[in-house]
Every structure is written in structure tokens, then in C-alpha cells.
């Protein structure tokens, strides 16, 4: 059992919190109430960023002390939305939200994952008709191993998880969000994920 704080109580955060609780972890969900995120982060070993990516850097940079020495699992994508509310462009062109978070939180182990799929797939990968891929990006090998174990608890098989390397590799997975609006317009809001065919 691991103590986990989920920052963000929308569809992504709520989905992850429910699944991780069912997997036997002690999970706290922090809403927007003053001090809620700080209290949750302070008490947790692992913190999951499920806040809207456009405001994540500012929110999490304010928790530098609470996140010291913790693993921060970043599942968000920082985008500018188009008129239809779907992602139209990346906020950190030439970089990534994960890199920005790691630079702002040098004593925190940032691991990027689960950001290349619609949210239902994060906790039910086996429901897809084809094998999905979850990617890991981060600087600290032990932190990535811990996050890999969390993914397994969420139903991901080890062979479905690909470690891409350092945090800079999150640029590639975050850029994959630009596929999403086109896929949704083509097939509708049907669960899907980016996958590496082998």
C-alpha cells in the first residue's frame, strides 16, 4: 500500500483515485479548496498531477516544499484549446510541461505517463481491442520503477509499458495530444490510446 495524493478531482483525477483505491492504496483527492493540495501532498509518498495542464506549473511550483523528495506523476497535457474546446496547440512549444515541472521542482522526481490516451483507458487498458502502450519519461530510475508498479496495479501489463528515458522525452508524448482532436472528430469520444505496434 502506498499513500497517494491526486491533485485534481475532474474525470481524470476521479477515475485514477477510484482505481488506485480499489487496488489497495491510501488515496486522498485534493480539490480547489485553499490549502487542500498542500495538505494532501505533504501527507503522500506519491502525488499525481491531474490538474488542467495550462495551470499545472503555477499550481505545483507553489508546492515546492510539500513535494520535496516526492514522486510527482504528471498525467496532464498543457495545451491551448480551440473554439470547440479540444486541444489546438502546445503551450510549451520546444519543451514540455513535465520538463517545466522538473525545472521548477528540482528536489522532486517527476515522471510523465498516461498522457497519450483518453482517460478511461488509464485504468482499464485491457478493454481496448488492441494492446495500448503506456510511456514513462523521467530522470530517476527508482521513481520510474515505482510508477511502473502503480501502472501494473491499474491493469497495465509490464510488456505494455515503455520507458522512453529522461524527462526530455516527454516532449514527444505531450505532442501526441495533437492527434486527439482529429481522432475524436473522426471516430467520436471512444476510448483509444497511442500504441507502438511490435
Amino acid at each position: 500500500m502506498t499513500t497517494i495524493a491526486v491533485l485534481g478531482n475532474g474525470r481524470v483525477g476521479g477515475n485514477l483515485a477510484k482505481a488506485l483505491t480499489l487496488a489497495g492504496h491510501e488515496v486522498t483527492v485534493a480539490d480547489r479548496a485553499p490549502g487542500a493540495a498542500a495538505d494532501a501532498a505533504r501527507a503522500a509518498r506519491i502525488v499525481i498531477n491531474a490538474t488542467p495542464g495550462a495551470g499545472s506549473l503555477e499550481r505545483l511550483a507553489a508546492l515546492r516544499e510539500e513535494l520535496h523528495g516526492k514522486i510527482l506523476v504528471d498525467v496532464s497535457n498543457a495545451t491551448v484549446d480551440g473554439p470547440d474546446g479540444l486541444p489546438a496547440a502546445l503551450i510549451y512549444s520546444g519543451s514540455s510541461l513535465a520538463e517545466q515541472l522538473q525545472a521548477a521542482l528540482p528536489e522532486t522526481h517527476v515522471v510523465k505517463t498516461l498522457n497519450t490516451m483518453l482517460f478511461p483507458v488509464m485504468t482499464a487498458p485491457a478493454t481496448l481491442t488492441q494492446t495500448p502502450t503506456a510511456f514513462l519519461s523521467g530522470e530517476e530510475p527508482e521513481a520510474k520503477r515505482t510508477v511502473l508498479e502503480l501502472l501494473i496495479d491499474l491493469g497495465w501489463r509490464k510488456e505494455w509499458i515503455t520507458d522512453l528515458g529522461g524527462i526530455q522525452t516527454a516532449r514527444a508524448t505531450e505532442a501526441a495530444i495533437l492527434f486527439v482532436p482529429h481522432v475524436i472528430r473522426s471516430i467520436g469520444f471512444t476510448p483509444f490510446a497511442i500504441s507502438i505496434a511490435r
Side-chain angles (χ1 to χ4, degrees), residues 19-102:
L20 289 167
T21 299
L22 289 173
H25 298 286
E26 183 180 332
V27 181
T28 301
V29 179
D31 56 22
R32 290 179 175 268
D39 291 343
R42 190 179 295 111
R45 177 179 174 229
I46 297 172
V47 177
I48 297 176
N49 174 38
T51 66
S56 290
L57 181 58
E58 182 181 0
R59 288 190 190 99
L60 273 71
L63 301 176
R64 184 169 177 169
E65 181 180 331
E66 290 83 0
L67 292 170
H68 187 282
K70 307 290 177 73
I71 295 172
L72 176 63
V73 182
D74 179 33
V75 303
S76 295
N77 289 301
T79 59
V80 177
D81 290 341
D84 58 1
L86 295 174
L90 301 174
I91 289 178
Y92 303 110
S93 180
S95 182
S96 64
L97 172 59
E99 288 174 272
Q100 297 295 315
L101 289 170
Q102 188 62 85

Side-chain angles (χ1 to χ4, degrees), residues 116-140:
T116 56
M117 62 201 70
L118 290 192
F119 78 91
V121 181
M122 295 178 175
T123 59
T127 60
L128 297 183
T129 57
Q130 297 173 336
T131 301
T133 303
F135 301 98
L136 295 173
S137 299
E139 296 298 322
E140 218 289 307

Side-chain angles (χ1 to χ4, degrees), residues 4 6 12 14 19 34 56 61 77 121 145 191 194 196:
I4 300 170
V6 178
V12 174
S56 290
N77 289 301
V121 181
R145 279 191 289 272
I194 302 294
I196 301 297

Side-chain angles (χ1 to χ4, degrees), residues 160-174:
W160 297 352
I161 303 168
T162 299
D163 185 344
L164 295 178
I167 201 68
Q168 188 177 15
T169 64
R171 295 181 190 185
T173 60
E174 290 190 25

